[in-house]
Amino acid sequence: MVSKPKPAARRRIRAPRDFYGGLALMALAAFAWWGSLNLSGMQGVQFGAGTAPRLFAGLLFLAGGVIAVMGLIRDGEPIGRYGVRGPLLVAASILLFATAIRPLGLPLTSFLTILLTSAASDEVRWLESILWAAVLSAACTLLFVYALGLALPLWPSF
């Protein structure tokens, strides 16, 4: 005997995506608040180093609370499958950039990083991705090395 799912009106959490997303935002805000406790706060009318992080953490906590409550009172979509490919490839591209910037140089590393990040989507068009990777790599090189004068390696050091 297969049990039928409860109608949305009878479930306690009517929009699970909103409810759990709101809780996740609240947890992130609490972590940010905790991380800013060692920074000085507002003293009189002067902002301290921890004022803005605490202010934004408080606003994020409030927004997360509103979203979670809306998940309890409004109907919404159930939680679907969670794709691992996207977050995994984005994290891998960050690690690639961090480990390859010195030996491969900025243009090649940024090109490879952008291509790896492009592969995170199911809708990737490789020709467009290669063209955008080339344009963005050139823009990064012009901006960071030439315009800002940062000491980043340009070419591979084989």
Side-chain angles (χ1 to χ4, degrees):
M1 176 177 204
V2 177
S3 64
K4 292 187 226 177
K6 292 181 184 178
R10 296 189 60 198
R11 294 184 304 199
R12 287 191 179 172
I13 300 173
R14 296 172 68 181
R17 290 172 107 181
D18 292 345
F19 179 74
Y20 293 116
L23 290 183
L25 288 176
M26 292 171 72
L28 178 64
F31 180 72
W33 185 281
W34 174 77
S36 70
L37 286 178
N38 290 336
L39 301 172
S40 63
M42 189 142 178
Q43 298 167 354
V45 294
Q46 293 182 341
F47 279 100
T51 304
R54 283 190 214 121
L55 175 69
F56 293 132
L59 291 173
L60 183 63
F61 190 86
L62 182 66
V66 169
I67 292 170
V69 168
M70 294 304 287
L72 294 174
I73 61 176
R74 284 193 342 188
D75 291 336
E77 296 181 29
I79 297 175
R81 285 186 45 218
Y82 181 74
V84 177
R85 176 179 157 187
L88 186 67
L89 287 176
V90 169
S93 70
I94 293 169
L95 292 174
L96 171 71
F97 188 86
T99 57
I101 185 70
R102 295 232 187 263
L104 297 181
L106 180 63
L108 184 58
T109 302
S110 60
F111 183 80
L112 294 174
T113 301
I114 293 166
L115 285 182
L116 183 59
T117 306
S118 298
S121 172
D122 292 332
E123 301 168 0
V124 65
R125 296 183 196 149
W126 285 107
L127 180 60
E128 290 177 12
S129 296
I130 290 169
L131 291 174
W132 267 112
V135 169
L136 290 175
S137 297
C140 287
T141 302
L142 291 172
L143 174 66
F144 293 117
V145 176
Y146 294 110
L148 297 176
L150 297 179
L152 292 171
L154 278 177
W155 306 114
S157 57
F158 295 121

